[in-house]
Amino acid sequence: MPIKETLPEATIDSIKESIVRSGDLLEGGVPIHLDETTVTATNCYAYSIGIMYNFLTKMRGFYNPGFTEHNRYMPEDTPEVLMQKIERDLENLSIKFREIELGKKIELKEHEYLVKVFMADPNEKIPNGDFHFIRQDRNTGKWFHKMGWELQPAIICSDPEYDDGTTVEGEEPDNFISHYKDGFTYKYYSVGYLAIEEKV
C-alpha cells in the first residue's frame, strides 16, 4: 500500500500523548467510565488502543481505520485492506504491534495486549458496512469494548433483549449479530487480531 499524506504532525503527536495504558481503562477488571467529552468523541477503534484525544473528533468518522492517512474505511474494503489501514495507523502513531491471523495460537509477549477486529458487510441498515474492535484485559482474560460514539465502555455481553445464550459475559465472541426492532439482523465477523505493545 503506498504511503499517503498523514495528519499534521502536531495532531499525530497529540493523539500519541493521549494514549493511556490498560490500568487507566480498567479498575478491578471493570471498564472505567469516560468523562462526558471523551465518551462522545471516542469510538471502538480509538478506545481499543487507548486513544483519549478528543479535539475536533466529534465529526463522525475521524477514528475510522485509515484516519491517520485520510484513507478512511470504505464499503468495498476487504478484510485484508481493513487490516492494512489499521496497521498503517499504528505505524504512523509509532505503536508497536504484531498481526495474528485467526486460528493461530496466541501467545502474548510481556507488555502486550490483544485486540480483535470485526467487520460487517454493507446492507440496508449500514450501506457503508461497519467495523468493530474489542480488547482483552490481560489480567482477567475478559473482553471489553466501547459501542459506537455514545455509550460507555463495557464488558462484552449479549443484548438482554436478544440473548440466545451464545455469548457469555466477558468471553471472546467469534462473531456477533446486530438486531433491529423491525426484525432485521446482520453479522459482524472476525477479521484478525493485533497484539499491541504498551509503552512501559
Side-chain angles (χ1 to χ4, degrees):
M1 180 178 289
I3 295 175
K4 299 181 180 291
E5 180 184 350
T6 61
L7 291 171
E9 188 174 341
T11 303
I12 291 282
D13 288 344
S14 294
I15 293 170
K16 286 161 66 173
E17 290 168 10
S18 80
I19 295 173
V20 299
R21 295 171 51 78
S22 296
D24 296 314
L25 293 176
L26 299 157
E27 186 172 336
V30 177
I32 295 169
H33 275 227
L34 304 176
D35 63 72
E36 288 182 21
T37 302
T38 305
V39 76
T40 58
T42 308
N43 68 350
C44 62
Y45 181 27
Y47 180 78
S48 74
I49 51 181
I51 295 174
M52 296 293 128
Y53 175 77
N54 54 39
F55 180 66
L56 297 180
T57 59
K58 283 197 176 180
M59 71 180 172
R60 296 299 190 249
F62 184 87
Y63 286 128
N64 278 1
F67 77 97
T68 62
E69 295 184 342
H70 309 287
N71 186 27
R72 61 177 294 157
Y73 175 80
M74 300 297 287
E76 62 271 15
D77 284 353
T78 62
E80 293 75 23
V81 170
L82 172 60
M83 292 300 286
Q84 288 171 359
K85 289 181 177 182
I86 298 163
E87 290 170 9
R88 291 294 302 148
D89 286 339
L90 296 177
E91 289 165 1
N92 288 328
L93 293 170
S94 304
I95 295 172
K96 294 181 180 178
F97 67 93
R98 297 181 294 123
E99 182 179 351
I100 302 172
E101 294 178 17
L102 296 173
K104 298 285 185 182
K105 184 177 181 181
I106 298 173
E107 293 182 358
L108 294 179
K109 299 176 183 176
E110 190 175 10
H111 306 301
E112 285 183 335
Y113 63 88
L114 196 60
V115 167
K116 190 171 186 179
V117 183
F118 296 82
M119 68 187 296
D121 294 325
N123 59 60
E124 65 184 70
K125 300 292 187 183
I126 49 164
N128 291 327
D130 200 11
F131 55 84
H132 192 56
F133 293 72
I134 64 175
R135 177 170 171 162
Q136 186 182 47
D137 174 14
R138 184 162 176 163
N139 292 330
T140 65
K142 290 186 177 180
W143 290 84
F144 63 106
H145 62 164
K146 182 179 186 299
M147 292 290 287
W149 294 88
E150 305 295 333
L151 299 176
Q152 287 286 349
I155 298 292
I156 293 281
C157 64
S158 292
D159 181 337
E161 193 172 341
Y162 300 101
D163 187 7
D164 61 3
T166 59
T167 302
V168 178
E169 183 174 328
E171 288 194 5
E172 176 185 358
D174 290 325
N175 55 63
F176 55 97
I177 307 296
S178 187
H179 298 264
Y180 283 79
K181 294 196 182 295
D182 64 5
F184 185 81
T185 63
Y186 62 88
K187 180 187 287 189
Y188 286 82
Y189 53 91
S190 307
V191 172
Y193 297 96
L194 295 161
I196 299 177
E197 183 179 321
E198 289 194 292
K199 291 185 178 176
V200 180

